[in-house]
Every structure is written in structure tokens, then in C-alpha cells.
Amino acid sequence: MKDSNSVTSATKSTLLMTQQQLLEHWQGHRALTRRVIEAFPEDEFFSFSIGGMRPFAIMIKELIAIAAPGAKGLATDTWEQLDEEIDLGQSKSEILSFWDKATEDINYWWSQIPLERFQEDVLAFGMYQNKGYCNLLYFIDNEIHHRAQAYVYLRSLGIAPPAFWER
Amino acid sequence: MKDSNSVTSATKSTLLMTQQQLLEHWQGHRALTRRVIEAFPEDEFFSFSIGGMRPFAIMIKELIAIAAPGAKGLATDTWEQLDEEIDLGQSKSEILSFWDKATEDINYWWSQIPLERFQEDVLAFGMYQNKGYCNLLYFIDNEIHHRAQAYVYLRSLGIAPPAFWER
């Protein structure tokens, strides 16, 4: 990882967190989100809704549209438009395959993100002007946000969701 | 803030994020959570529930129990037990006062957290063994998680919640 190459051990003890630690934090959340997808019955994953909100499958489409393209954008500073209309198939198993592909893609691109990028201004997806670390935290927070809504969906369906604290 | 004192400008460009930036990130989330509390009708704040989950007022009690004591614990490395049974009054306005007091307390304690703490093992609230940054991120993530559940409550009540991306 970049941070271990470009930061000396003397300064490492004064780092809030390393780039590798932030990746592990993100992937830990993504592993939990994967278990929440798995917890849904096939039908309800695509159809269940409360208060006019989107079914969890549509939220997951958004998260997949952001995740690997977001990591690639931070690595290359070349951003394509956010594409939430990608075809992810019509089954949980197909969507889980796309989820797992994104997990690998994130790891691939992460190692190419220059550490300096996190403090630079970036225009994520050509739309979201913010520092790199703010955009990255937004990707993670947005996932926590939608996944928590799926927790309510599951509870409403009488299904116990996976423990929030297990990553 | 500690980081601007203890980290030279030469290394600052290689920081993922500074301690001050992490505080601003947290307080930005807390400002949004405050607006979500405000969006609830008085009664439903204390009583509305889906799928047997806790009313938002009880979740907010948990968040208040964690926030300032968590910042104090990171600053002092002395942890008291998590106390979710604190009396926060019986009205939204009383709870909002406790929320605002916590905002000030977090700022106070934050400036006393040594930067090294984030990479040290801490036993948060005498129960949660993890690195300092992991515990702090957990406090934030747990707030995002429960607030997102309140978004579903509000939608279910026909109320549009505050925009997630405004902090």
C-alpha cells in the first residue's frame, strides 16, 4: 500500500489511520452489507419497501455504481458519470457476483490511489466537488445509511439482520 | 488541535485526514442527526416503531451515552461504563439540549486526544477492545446506522427527512 511506502515509521505513529486501514474499514462494511443482501428472501430483496422508499436491490445497484468506479476515480482522477442503470441481473446470486467483483476491483484500484489524493480537491463522478477523503467517507457513509434502512426492512419482515458490529 | 501542533507541514500532505478533519466529519454527522430529531413529531419521536425496533428517542439516548463520554475516554484513556439509562427528560427540546451539550463536550475533549491514541489499543467503555480510530469510527458509524433507521420511520410517517448529503 502507498502509505507504508511514502510515510516513514517515525511519522506513522502520528497518523490517524493509514490508507490500508481505511481500505479494511470499507471492506469490512462491504462484507456486512453482503450478509444483509444474503439475509433477504429473494422476492423481498427486489420488491419490499416502506414509505415509498426503494427496494434494497435498487439501493444496492447505487452502491455498486459508486464503489469500484469511486476507487478507480480516486486512483486515476478520471471520473465517468455515475451509472445506476447498469444491468446487474435479476437474482440475488447475480448481484452478489457483481458485489464480489467490486470487492476485487476496489482492492486493485486502492493500491494505486496516491496518498496525496485524499487531501486534494476532486470532482467525484464529475459532480461532487470535495476533498478526496470526504468523497471516500461519503461512499462508506452512504452504504451504512442504505444498509441500515434494509435492517428496518428485515425487521419488518420478521427477519433478524446480521449483527452490526461484526465486520 | 493536536495534529497541527505535532505534525509538520511536510508530512501533512501525506495524511489521509487530520484529527481536526475527523472532528468536523463527526460533528457534521451530528448536525444532521439533530435535524432528524427535529423532523419528528413530538409523540412519534418517543413512540413510533417498526418491526419491534426501538423508538428513535431511545436510539438517541444510546448515541448521547456514547458521544461525549467516548471523546472523553479517548482523551483520558479512562473509561466509565456505558450508561444508557441517563435521564434526558421527556421532551424533544430537553433531549436537543443534551445533544447540544454533547456537541460542546466533544469539542472540548477532542482537543485533548493525543494523536497517538488513534493507533493505540483502547478498551472503550471497559468493553470494546480495538484501536482508537476503530472505536471512534464505530461511534460515527453507529450514529449513521440508527439515524438511517429513523429515515425509514419518517418516510413511513409521510415526512420527508433532511437531505443525507447536507451536514
Side-chain angles (χ1 to χ4, degrees), chain B residues 63-101:
Chain B
L63 299 181
I64 289 176
I66 291 172
K72 181 182 176 184
L74 285 169
T76 62
D77 207 20
T78 302
W79 294 90
E80 293 168 27
Q81 281 204 322
L82 196 61
D83 179 13
E84 297 185 45
E85 300 309 314
I86 32 176
D87 181 9
L88 300 180
Q90 301 297 321
S91 66
K92 267 175 55 178
S93 68
E94 285 172 285
I95 289 186
L96 285 170
S97 298
F98 281 98
W99 192 264
D100 295 339
K101 176 67 164 57

Side-chain angles (χ1 to χ4, degrees), chain B residues 14-149:
Chain B
T14 58
L15 285 178
L16 205 63
M17 82 188 91
T18 68
Q19 189 168 342
Q20 174 66 18
Q21 287 171 336
L22 183 56
L23 172 64
E24 287 163 13
H25 178 69
W26 189 12
Q27 294 286 28
H29 271 300
R30 294 187 71 261
L32 173 58
T33 304
R34 193 186 196 287
R35 290 197 293 278
V36 174
I37 297 171
E38 290 180 300
F40 267 84
E42 186 79 27
D43 281 358
E44 279 80 357
F45 178 62
F46 291 95
S47 63
F48 188 78
S49 159
I50 292 176
M53 297 177 76
R54 295 172 294 172
F56 192 42
I58 307 298
M59 297 180 188
I60 288 295
K61 239 175 145 165
E62 175 188 307
L63 299 181
I64 289 176
I66 291 172
K72 181 182 176 184
L74 285 169
T76 62
D77 207 20
T78 302
W79 294 90
E80 293 168 27
Q81 281 204 322
L82 196 61
D83 179 13
E84 297 185 45
E85 300 309 314
I86 32 176
D87 181 9
L88 300 180
Q90 301 297 321
S91 66
K92 267 175 55 178
S93 68
E94 285 172 285
I95 289 186
L96 285 170
S97 298
F98 281 98
W99 192 264
D100 295 339
K101 176 67 164 57
T103 303
E104 289 173 29
D105 290 348
I106 289 168
N107 288 341
Y108 172 79
W109 288 113
W110 192 267
S111 65
Q112 302 185 42
I113 301 175
L115 185 53
E116 302 74 39
R117 184 78 78 233
F118 292 95
Q119 289 294 329
E120 288 172 6
D121 285 319
V122 300
L123 190 63
F125 298 103
M127 292 174 66
Y128 307 107
Q129 176 83 46
N130 221 329
K131 286 198 185 287
Y133 82 91
C134 292
N135 272 305
L136 194 277
L137 290 179
Y138 189 88
F139 302 161
I140 300 175
D141 295 349
N142 184 55
E143 175 170 343
I144 299 169
H145 180 71
H146 288 312
R147 184 185 61 213
Q149 296 171 338

Side-chain angles (χ1 to χ4, degrees), chain A residues 36-57:
Chain A
V36 174
I37 297 171
E38 289 180 300
F40 267 84
E42 186 81 27
D43 281 357
E44 281 79 358
F45 178 62
F46 291 95
S47 63
F48 188 78
S49 160
I50 292 176
M53 298 178 74
R54 295 172 295 172
F56 193 42

Side-chain angles (χ1 to χ4, degrees), chain A residues 109-123:
Chain A
W109 288 112
W110 192 267
S111 65
Q112 301 187 41
I113 301 175
L115 185 54
E116 300 74 40
R117 183 79 76 234
F118 292 94
Q119 289 294 329
E120 288 172 5
D121 285 318
V122 300
L123 189 63

